[in-house]
Amino acid sequence: MKVTDVHVDLSKNYITEPLNKEALSGVIKGGKFQTAHQLYLVVNGVKERYYFQELDNHDKYTISAAINVRYTYAGEARKQVEAISMLRPLLKNKHIYEVIYKVFLKEGMQEVYNFKHLTKSKQEVYDLIIRLREKTLKICNQNML
């Protein structure tokens, strides 16, 4: 069994880079602000979901460990979104981290442990990653018999 911590970069809290004119006109023609949001994520080099832990070679368990990030629009990106009415729902996004951690039995994928937590604090997220690594080791090692 091997528990691997995956590097998570939470250095960016905001979407600040605007879309170029070609991408923006394509989004407007498509008529979906969700598509625009996905493009803003790419342009700003951020993701909505970061996996922070993997469990390899355990006979009994598997895990899902992720951080969902909601970004706030700021700077030039915010100005661009404010100027286009169909994109304005993106301004409702408030920065927050959602830590989701689940342990499953491999056979039947029955959930054994479930943890969810919302926070605005990066430090709290990093502290939770450490605690959840310990939780993984505890669950997996106590049931290695």
Side-chain angles (χ1 to χ4, degrees), residues 32-84:
K32 297 196 177 188
F33 71 89
Q34 297 92 340
T35 303
H37 179 66
Q38 294 303 314
L39 287 173
Y40 279 112
L41 293 172
V42 171
V43 167
N44 283 268
V46 294
K47 300 177 192 175
E48 285 185 304
R49 176 172 278 198
Y50 293 91
Y51 292 94
F52 64 86
Q53 192 179 109
E54 296 173 350
L55 177 62
D56 298 323
N57 301 323
H58 195 282
D59 295 337
K60 193 172 180 180
Y61 296 106
T62 187
I63 64 170
S64 175
I67 302 159
N68 294 330
V69 184
R70 285 185 238 147
Y71 299 94
T72 300
Y73 283 78
E76 292 301 313
R78 184 176 185 86
K79 288 178 189 174
Q80 191 176 61
V81 169
E82 286 174 335
I84 302 167

Side-chain angles (χ1 to χ4, degrees), residues 6-20:
V6 180
H7 174 70
V8 175
D9 181 8
L10 301 176
S11 61
K12 291 187 176 183
N13 296 336
Y14 303 98
I15 292 176
T16 57
E17 295 297 318
L19 299 179
N20 66 38

Side-chain angles (χ1 to χ4, degrees), residues 2-6 51-56 58 60-66 100-106 109 112-113 132-133 135-137 139-140:
K2 181 180 177 189
V3 178
T4 305
D5 294 325
V6 180
Y51 292 94
F52 64 86
Q53 192 179 109
E54 296 173 350
L55 177 62
D56 298 323
H58 195 282
K60 193 172 180 180
Y61 296 106
T62 187
I63 64 170
S64 175
I100 301 171
Y101 171 83
K102 297 178 182 181
V103 179
F104 301 92
L105 288 172
K106 279 186 175 180
M109 292 303 287
V112 175
Y113 183 81
L132 292 170
R133 183 181 207 290
K135 186 70 172 176
T136 299
L137 291 170
I139 289 171
C140 292

